[in-house]
Amino acid sequence: MTTLRVVVDQLIAPVPGSIGRYTEQLTQALITAAPAGCEVEGIVSSSTPAEYALIEERLPGLAGLYKTTLGRRELAAAWQLGITTSPGPGMIHSPSLLAPLRRHDRVNGGTQVAVTVHDTLALSHPEAFTSATVAWTKGMLKRARKHADAVVVPSHAVAAELAEFADFGDRVRVIGPALSRTFHLPGAELARSFADELIAERLAALDLPTEFILTAGTLEPRKAVTSLIAALGRPGAPDLPLLVLGPDTWGELDLAAVADEAGLPVGRVRSISGLSDENVALVMSRASAFVAPSLAEGFGLQIIQAFQMGTPVIHSDAPALVETAGDAGFVVEREDADGYPERLAAALDRVLGDRELADRLRVFGSDRAKAFSWRDSAERVWQLHADL
């Protein structure tokens, strides 16, 4: 039996975040797509019995769980230095940079290690991260350059950006993520009448405006949510409320203050956070347009979410967002920061004021969303390890 061991530790991190969701979805798909004679095991830091049980519950079909002797923080530090043990020879796949990277003989020893780099933001925008995160990322990238047999990235844009910081040669493979299996409208498994009733209940609880613009992110400068808010204060901009999927504060900034500075009335901009995948899908489906103004990303997963729900998308020309959207979104140039809000306002006016254009974006987006599937991603990961 051939075993692929996946580092699943992020599933039990205090804040699993996007990498935790990625780990869960990819590992589930790897289990389902395992070729004949192959199985998937997990690697996890020393944890509690309840945490081990949680992993096994979320990853049905997992053949086993290798439990290291170190806790999560100690394991991350030890692997950065290459001084701890791993499950032994065999295939190891990490959905992040957290991996047992050290000297090994892939050809004669039978060991191969692949890691994942979701973006290069800790290097290109270090001000948005803690110094510890930046240092750890740099350290693990250095080890990956020396010892990783393959590096998975979500987009060609990240591959190009990564090459500016480290030379991985032909070891880089582009394998994109997909939408969570739980990303669908509430009641998708119910009869139509019961689903409609559940959706009505959720809508009442969410208290959504009849029409609104939707975005996602924080007030971190890179996300450019402030530029979008400023755009809504421009003369001639659509007079619609803005909902932000994310927190209402970042550092000393808060949405209310930014909106007030843009000349918007109280309540015109508000955050909506802590939603389940079903409720995010519901909000996406009701939005007049989804705007992704970010100046730098590794992949545009929320663009795919909007496409899936048939919502027109406006996005910046950040390379990863352009790559994710294909030709299915309305692109806004980032250059000339002072003029960016003006261009965002013009894009909103164009898309929301042209029903034919909006309908065309909906159709293109729905088609584009079909290009991403976890089954395809998992099969490509299995092929990657077979090639190694």
Side-chain angles (χ1 to χ4, degrees), residues 105-127:
D105 187 339
R106 188 178 82 226
V107 176
N108 299 312
T111 294
Q112 53 174 253
V113 183
V115 299
T116 306
V117 176
H118 294 274
D119 56 59
T120 61
L121 298 175
L123 305 177
S124 62
H125 294 74
E127 69 281 354

Side-chain angles (χ1 to χ4, degrees), residues 4 22 25-34 93 116 152-155 173-181 299 301 369-385:
L4 175 64
Y22 175 89
Q25 296 295 319
L26 177 62
T27 309
Q28 287 177 352
L30 288 170
I31 293 169
T32 302
H93 190 89
T116 306
V152 174
V153 295
S155 62
R173 295 288 186 92
V174 178
I175 302 177
L179 297 184
S180 167
R181 293 169 182 79
F299 188 77
L301 188 62
K370 297 172 185 176
F372 302 89
S373 80
W374 282 115
R375 176 77 187 199
D376 177 66
S377 299
E379 288 178 349
R380 293 169 68 186
V381 168
W382 276 110
Q383 186 60 54
L384 164 62
H385 285 279

Side-chain angles (χ1 to χ4, degrees), residues 307-328:
F307 285 165
Q308 179 74 20
M309 303 317 300
T311 301
V313 171
I314 298 168
H315 61 86
S316 79
D317 63 348
L321 299 186
V322 172
E323 182 178 338
T324 301
D327 295 324

Side-chain angles (χ1 to χ4, degrees), residues 95-360:
S96 70
L97 277 170
L98 180 65
L101 291 163
R102 60 180 181 275
R103 187 188 302 275
H104 61 274
D105 187 339
R106 188 178 82 226
V107 176
N108 299 312
T111 294
Q112 53 174 253
V113 183
V115 299
T116 306
V117 176
H118 294 274
D119 56 59
T120 61
L121 298 175
L123 305 177
S124 62
H125 294 74
E127 69 281 354
F129 300 85
T130 65
S131 57
T133 296
V134 173
W136 187 84
T137 301
K138 288 182 177 179
M140 292 308 292
L141 273 177
K142 184 177 180 179
R143 293 202 65 80
R145 185 175 60 82
K146 291 181 178 179
H147 304 300
D149 298 294
V151 178
V152 174
V153 295
S155 62
H156 292 280
V158 172
E161 292 160 3
L162 184 60
E164 298 178 8
F165 298 100
D167 181 11
F168 287 96
D170 61 0
R171 289 179 289 169
V172 176
R173 295 288 186 92
V174 178
I175 302 177
L179 297 184
S180 167
R181 293 169 182 79
T182 57
F183 185 81
H184 52 68
L185 291 176
E189 74 287 353
L190 302 176
R192 179 63 180 271
S193 59
F194 292 106
D196 289 345
E197 182 178 344
L198 179 58
I199 287 175
E201 292 176 358
R202 297 283 183 90
L203 286 173
L206 290 167
D207 190 27
L208 300 177
T210 304
E211 294 182 277
F212 60 93
I213 298 163
L214 184 66
T215 191
T218 70
L219 290 171
E220 175 193 341
R222 173 183 62 86
K223 289 290 188 179
V225 172
T226 53
S227 294
L228 177 57
I229 294 173
L232 295 178
R234 293 291 195 271
D239 186 19
L240 291 179
L242 173 68
L243 298 188
V244 182
L245 289 170
D248 60 3
T249 61
W250 185 81
E252 297 180 355
L253 291 176
D254 66 75
L255 284 175
V258 175
D260 180 66
E261 186 176 338
L264 301 178
V266 175
R268 175 82 181 275
V269 179
R270 67 180 175 94
S271 71
I272 181 169
S273 59
L275 302 183
S276 65
D277 280 350
E278 287 188 349
N279 281 349
V280 171
L282 184 55
V283 174
M284 285 276 192
S285 72
R286 291 303 196 272
S288 301
F290 177 79
V291 185
S294 183
L295 305 178
E297 292 291 342
F299 188 77
L301 188 62
Q302 284 159 327
I303 286 178
I304 302 302
Q305 290 179 329
F307 285 165
Q308 179 74 20
M309 303 317 300
T311 301
V313 171
I314 298 168
H315 61 86
S316 79
D317 63 348
L321 299 186
V322 172
E323 182 178 338
T324 301
D327 295 324
F330 193 95
V331 184
V332 182
E333 294 182 359
R334 297 164 297 163
E335 295 302 320
D336 175 23
D338 291 340
Y340 191 36
E342 198 72 42
R343 292 192 297 277
L344 285 170
L348 281 165
D349 183 60
R350 174 79 189 283
V351 172
L352 296 178
D354 187 336
R355 182 183 295 272
E356 183 178 342
L357 172 60
D359 288 343
R360 187 162 65 248

